[in-house]
């Protein structure tokens, strides 16, 4: 069982930056690949980025490449999403999730989810 709690969301102007954090409970954090998803108003939740268990391999969607960076600190049971050059279209509720898969991008591969944190980017 893994419990996830996101933080770091907020209101930022276009071009600004935010760093989201996701703290995980339990002693098996390093056993899970971690992912970030987002859901904009009126849209389905979409995959944003994932990071593998320990070797640090990452995968991002094209729309955030060069702007968002996922990282993790297994000693702190925390995964991060550094978001730079934010755009109004990045406005969404951001969720972190944990998976026993290798580097999954589909929601069904994630067993545990946080409650989400709101990110709002003004023009």
């Amino acid at each position: 069982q893994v419990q996830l709690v996101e933080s770091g969301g907020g209101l930022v102007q276009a071009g600004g930056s935010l760093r989201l954090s996701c703290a995980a409970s339990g002693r098996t954090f390093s056993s899970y690949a971690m992912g970030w998803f987002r859901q904009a108003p009126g849209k389905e939740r979409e995959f944003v980025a994932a990071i593998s268990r320990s070797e640090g391999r990452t995968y991002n969607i094209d729309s955030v490449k060069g702007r968002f960076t996922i990282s993790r600190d297994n000693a702190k049971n925390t995964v991060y999403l550094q978001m730079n050059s934010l755009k109004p279209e990045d406005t969404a509720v951001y969720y972190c999730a944990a998976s026993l898969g290798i580097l999954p991008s589909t929601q069904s591969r994630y067993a545990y989810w946080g409650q989400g944190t709101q990110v709002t980017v003004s023009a």
Side-chain angles (χ1 to χ4, degrees):
Q1 187 80 7
V2 177
Q3 292 184 326
L4 304 171
V5 179
E6 302 97 334
S7 61
L11 174 64
V12 64
Q13 289 187 332
S17 298
L18 283 173
R19 188 176 81 155
L20 304 183
S21 299
C22 174
S25 65
R27 296 175 293 177
T28 59
F29 177 72
S30 61
S31 300
Y32 293 89
M34 299 298 295
W36 285 97
F37 291 76
R38 66 186 180 185
Q39 186 167 21
K43 295 187 177 181
E44 294 188 353
R45 189 160 56 185
E46 68 169 349
F47 170 78
V48 175
I51 187 166
S52 60
R53 298 182 188 94
S54 59
E55 63 272 24
R57 286 184 295 146
T58 63
Y59 173 62
N60 298 338
I61 56 175
D62 287 344
S63 61
V64 306
K65 283 189 190 304
R67 301 190 299 122
F68 291 11
T69 302
I70 186 171
S71 62
R72 67 189 297 163
D73 185 338
N74 286 343
K76 295 182 178 179
N77 282 11
T78 302
V79 62
Y80 305 97
L81 186 67
Q82 178 66 44
M83 305 186 295
N84 299 328
S85 301
L86 282 161
K87 304 175 181 180
E89 52 263 42
D90 295 318
T91 294
V93 177
Y94 283 71
Y95 300 89
C96 71
S99 170
L100 289 173
I102 295 175
L103 204 61
S105 60
T106 54
Q107 296 184 52
S108 61
R109 299 291 304 279
Y110 287 84
Y112 302 103
W113 293 82
Q115 82 290 349
T117 186
Q118 177 71 46
V119 171
T120 303
V121 184
S122 62

